[in-house]
Each structure stands twice: as C-alpha cells, then as structure tokens.
Amino acid sequence: MSDLIYPTLDLFLYVLKTSLNTTDAEIQKNQAAFLEQLPSNTKFYDPDIETEYLEITHPPQINFIPHNKTLEGYYYPVRLNDTYGLQIDCSINNQIETQPAKSFAILKTEIEQKLNKELAIIGKTWFLSGWLPENSSHTHEDIAKDCYYALFKDTSWQPDKGTFLDGKVFEVGRSGNINQSLKNVKTPLSSNEDHVIIAIYNNRESAEKAAEFYKDWMGLFCYRSKISWAYCQSRLVKDSLLNHYKKIEENRKITNQSNYWQENQKITTYRQVLNNIDRILQQYTIDLLNLSFQKQIIEINLSNYQLRLALIKEKAGQNNQLDFLEKFSELANKKYLPQITKDIENMQLGLQLLEDTINATRSRIEVEKSERERNFQELVAVAGAGIATVSLLQSPAKDFCSKDSRKDIFPTIPYFCEYPFSASLIVGIIVGFMVWWLRKRLR
C-alpha cells in the first residue's frame, strides 16, 4: 500500500438557498437544514444581500471534535449568491509520519458522520491531498490510484491529469446527477456520481501553498455543481413535458373518434374534455418556461466557471497545467446547452400543435352548440305556431258553437263543437308541422 504524509480529505457540498418561485418559508427551511450541519452554538450571519462570496459564520472556520482522536478537522460555510457552500476538512493529525492510502477511508467515515443525510444538496466534490515522503518509490499516479480506491472500490480509475504547484493532480468522475431520479439526487451519500480531485504534492511547502486555493475551489466546484444540477433538472422537466403531451394526445384521439360526437350528446361532456386539455396545457407551458430557465442557469454558471478557472490558472502560475478542468466547460458547451436548446425548439413546436388541438376541439364544441341552439330555436318556432293556433281557435270555437251564436257552418262539424280543445290541438299540430316543413325548405 502506498504511503503519504498528512492525508487530507475535503468535502465541498452545495445547497440552494433560493430557487425559482421559492417562498420565504422555504428559504427559512433551506437555511435551517443547512445550519443543522454545523454545531448548535454556531454564530450565524446571513444578511439579505446579493453577494458573490460571503463567509456566514464567526469564526469563518469552525473546528469540530472528531470521533477518532487521531484526526482533526473543521467546517467552513459560505454563501455564493443563491447557494450555500460547505467545506468539511478532515485530516490525520500527524504531519511527520507517513500514512497508508487506506487512511482516506477513515477520513471519509468521519466526514459522513457529520452530515445530515436528508440535506437536499445540488452537488458535491471530494478533494484528496497529501505530500510524498522523501525518496518515495511510488509514482504520483500509483499513490493517487490507491487513494481513490480507498474511497470508491466499485468504480474504475480513468482520470484526467494535470500538474499543480509542482505536484500532480487527477480528476475522476462523470458530470454528476444526470441520469438519476430526483429522489436519489437529493440524498447526498447515495449518489454514485462522485466528482473527485486528487492532488499529490512533492513536499510540505507545496501542500501549504495549495491551502490558499480552497476558496477558489469552493467557487469553481459550486459553478460546476449548479451546471450539472440544472442539466439534471432539465431532463426531469423534459420528461414531464412529454408526459403532458401524451395525455393531451390521448384526449385528442378520443375526441377524433368518428362516433364520439354522436354518442356524447351533452355539451358538458365536451367542455370537460376541453377543460382537461386546457389544464394540462397550462402545466405544459409552465414546464416549457422552466426548461428555458434551466438553460439560463447553465449559461450563467458556465461563464462563471470559465472565469474562476482562468483566475486559478493565473494564481497558480505558468508552470501548472490545469487544462483538464476545461473539459467540463466543453461538455456543457457541446452537449448540455445544444441539447436543451433542441428540446426547447421541439417542445415549442409541440406547444403549437397542442394549441391547434385545443382550438379545433373548441371549434367543434361551438359548432355543436350552435347546432343545438338552432334546433332549439326550430322547436320553439314550431311549438309557438302550434300553441298560438290552439289559443286562437279555442276561444272563438266556444262562442261559435254556443246555442245562441252557432252559425250554419258549425253544425256540419259536430266533433269541432263537441270537443273544441282537442280539435284546436289537432289544427295546431297541423299548423306546426307546416311551419317546420316551410322553414326546412327555405333554409
């Protein structure tokens, strides 16, 4: 097993303070969850101001009491605009004797005991470091590989490599949280999408100088986490959009069946279908806006990532090679942003088709409604003609058929005089039928 002096493990994790449509109660809840990571007597200060980088506790670094007395460590919480960042540092409390690479497993166990496993993080980075003893017989990569497998036994060693402060630095890990469900992403220690940086320095002086870069790493890893998180969210939003589209398509297919409009004679049934489609369409529109919002998050944080990386390179000097860290920005530029842009275009086309569907359904409802109103008016006209005829004939018939005023014509129609209402009703029906026939011929 490879040996290393002063093995140190840092976990950088990130939690959103505010996000899209976050209420004050939700902000307070996020803040309380983040504070549960820290000792109960922590002096917390987080003013409601917009800031790129703010140390939010006093003192900024808070030492913790380890379960293993051979260890030492501290918390370092900050706020980076709308995101809380927390560095948990743990190391072997011995800067003289060499330690086996498997010591990192002990350090990781100690850090995980400090974590609230229900904390909804958006990303994390493990940073392993230490320096070589004099006359070491192992290469930097051999030691880095042993350190990596001390933490992650079931993964493969496929690092990107560079140089940093005369030492060697390795990056292992995928883009993070892309293919996981939202439930798994929210559980910080269950995610197998770990981003890992391993720095093996040549001497103590280089390691001490590297400690001055922790704030820079805090910012860089934050932007990286937010980009990966936004892309993950965009995949979930896309799935939601596809589900909405399928539901509307199911409703559309039902209404397009040839016998649907004959079997469902009630306008209320049509309106229920229309309201159902309209409700889903509203959710579709909201999700489409959310997809565009995730794209903006990636664009903003990608710009910040590139600026921060440029500052780290400048601070480290020309003899350092950190170009491998640019691969992530290339991934975001060549895959994430084009993919989301294409999704937005496709979903906007889908929105247009859905709007056409709902307009067609509404038109069919209006046609059905107009037809029913016309039939009702037809019924009113026919019934009105019949009723008017009955009303006009019934009263004169009584007068004409009376003994005093009976005319010569009425005795020839005894049924009319004996049953004046029934006779008037028959005449009214005949008149109504004639009115219906004439209206139909003249339409």
Side-chain angles (χ1 to χ4, degrees):
M1 183 68 69
S2 303
D3 291 334
L4 199 64
I5 298 178
Y6 199 55
T8 301
L9 179 62
D10 290 276
L11 174 62
F12 295 87
L13 61 84
Y14 302 93
V15 179
L16 285 179
K17 175 185 178 182
T18 60
S19 58
L20 184 64
N21 297 327
T22 305
T23 64
D24 290 340
E26 290 172 334
I27 293 175
Q28 294 297 325
K29 182 179 178 181
N30 294 341
Q31 186 181 95
F34 181 75
L35 285 176
E36 288 182 6
Q37 300 293 130
L38 306 176
S40 58
N41 60 347
T42 299
K43 295 181 180 179
F44 182 73
Y45 176 70
D46 183 19
D48 188 16
I49 58 174
E50 187 172 337
T51 176
E52 288 294 326
Y53 197 99
L54 178 67
E55 295 177 339
I56 54 178
T57 60
H58 182 77
Q61 287 187 3
I62 304 168
N63 294 330
F64 63 74
I65 300 175
H67 294 82
N68 188 326
K69 300 304 180 182
T70 65
L71 308 181
E72 62 180 357
Y74 62 84
Y75 302 100
Y76 178 61
V78 298
R79 179 161 68 85
L80 301 100
N81 204 344
D82 62 348
T83 305
Y84 288 124
L86 177 63
Q87 175 193 2
I88 305 179
D89 177 280
C90 190
S91 56
I92 303 293
N93 189 11
N94 186 332
Q95 300 187 21
I96 299 175
E97 297 177 343
T98 59
Q99 306 293 332
K102 65 181 180 181
S103 299
F104 282 104
I106 301 173
L107 300 177
K108 185 182 180 185
T109 300
E110 184 70 33
I111 289 177
E112 289 177 345
Q113 291 174 346
K114 305 294 181 184
L115 288 174
N116 172 11
K117 295 180 175 58
E118 299 302 320
L119 188 65
I121 69 171
I122 63 171
K124 66 179 185 287
T125 294
W126 295 96
F127 196 107
L128 295 74
S129 62
W131 66 84
L132 296 176
E134 294 183 5
N135 302 319
S136 175
S137 60
H138 297 91
T139 66
H140 292 74
E141 184 166 356
D142 288 338
I143 296 177
K145 183 177 180 179
D146 288 341
C147 294
Y148 179 75
Y149 280 123
L151 300 188
F152 310 103
K153 296 181 174 58
D154 299 329
T155 56
S156 59
W157 173 253
Q158 296 178 343
D160 292 314
K161 309 171 187 178
T163 60
F164 181 60
L165 301 180
D166 296 328
K168 300 294 183 180
V169 61
F170 306 86
E171 182 183 38
V172 187
R174 297 169 289 257
S175 55
N177 300 332
I178 292 177
N179 296 315
Q180 298 183 62
S181 67
L182 187 59
K183 179 180 178 180
N184 288 335
V185 170
K186 283 188 173 182
T187 307
L189 301 180
S190 67
S191 170
N192 57 9
E193 296 285 350
D194 290 295
H195 178 230
V196 182
I197 299 289
I198 304 174
I200 307 298
Y201 306 108
N202 292 330
N203 49 57
R204 179 172 179 170
E205 289 73 19
S206 296
E208 291 177 346
K209 186 177 180 180
E212 300 174 2
F213 286 78
Y214 278 145
K215 292 183 179 180
D216 299 290
W217 296 129
M218 176 73 82
L220 186 74
F221 300 151
C222 177
Y223 302 136
R224 188 186 195 281
S225 295
K226 292 178 75 173
I227 291 170
S228 296
W229 175 255
Y231 185 70
C232 172
Q233 293 297 102
S234 74
R235 300 307 87 201
L236 298 177
V237 173
K238 180 184 177 182
D239 289 343
S240 178
L241 285 166
L242 291 174
N243 288 333
H244 292 325
Y245 190 89
K246 291 177 182 178
K247 290 178 181 178
I248 295 179
E249 276 294 296
E250 291 172 0
N251 283 274
R252 185 186 65 82
K253 289 178 180 179
I254 293 174
T255 58
N256 282 346
Q257 293 176 0
S258 58
N259 61 344
Y260 178 82
W261 297 93
Q262 287 76 28
E263 294 177 354
N264 297 277
Q265 297 298 318
K266 295 182 179 179
I267 291 292
T268 54
T269 304
Y270 306 158
R271 292 201 176 278
Q272 287 176 358
V273 174
L274 183 63
N275 291 337
N276 188 33
I277 295 176
D278 195 29
R279 187 187 72 256
I280 300 173
L281 189 61
Q282 290 178 5
Q283 293 297 322
Y284 188 98
T285 304
I286 293 173
D287 281 349
L288 187 57
L289 291 174
N290 193 3
L291 192 60
S292 298
F293 181 71
Q294 301 305 325
K295 179 184 177 183
Q296 293 177 0
I297 292 177
I298 292 177
E299 290 173 339
I300 292 171
N301 286 280
L302 178 58
S303 176
N304 290 334
Y305 180 91
Q306 292 169 335
L307 289 174
R308 177 63 65 177
L309 181 56
L311 290 174
I312 292 175
K313 287 182 176 181
E314 181 180 356
K315 184 177 178 180
Q318 296 181 351
N319 294 330
N320 297 274
Q321 297 294 329
L322 298 174
D323 293 343
F324 67 93
L325 292 171
E326 293 180 356
K327 290 186 177 181
F328 179 75
S329 59
E330 292 176 0
L331 177 66
N333 263 319
K334 295 181 179 180
K335 178 183 177 181
Y336 295 176
L337 289 176
Q339 180 65 61
I340 297 178
T341 301
K342 189 64 176 179
D343 291 340
I344 292 173
E345 293 174 355
N346 292 337
M347 295 305 167
Q348 284 177 338
L349 179 60
L351 177 62
Q352 183 178 348
L353 294 175
L354 294 176
E355 289 176 341
D356 291 343
T357 296
I358 199 171
N359 289 335
T361 305
R362 184 177 286 111
S363 298
R364 297 187 71 169
I365 290 176
E366 293 301 323
V367 169
E368 289 290 320
K369 183 179 178 182
S370 299
E371 183 66 25
R372 291 167 188 269
E373 289 177 349
R374 183 163 54 250
N375 292 338
F376 178 74
Q377 292 173 358
E378 199 77 39
L379 177 62
V380 170
V382 171
I387 292 172
T389 301
V390 173
S391 300
L392 290 172
L393 289 178
Q394 188 175 1
S395 179
K398 291 180 181 180
D399 295 336
F400 293 153
C401 291
S402 64
K403 295 180 179 181
D404 299 331
S405 59
R406 182 175 295 179
K407 305 298 181 180
D408 293 339
I409 187 174
F410 288 104
T412 62
I413 313 176
Y415 182 81
F416 185 82
C417 291
E418 294 175 4
Y419 305 100
F421 176 77
S422 299
S424 300
L425 182 61
I426 293 172
V427 175
I429 292 173
I430 295 172
V431 172
F433 175 77
M434 293 179 64
V435 171
W436 171 80
W437 182 79
L438 289 172
R439 287 174 63 90
K440 185 175 181 182
R441 291 292 301 272
L442 295 174
R443 185 181 301 172

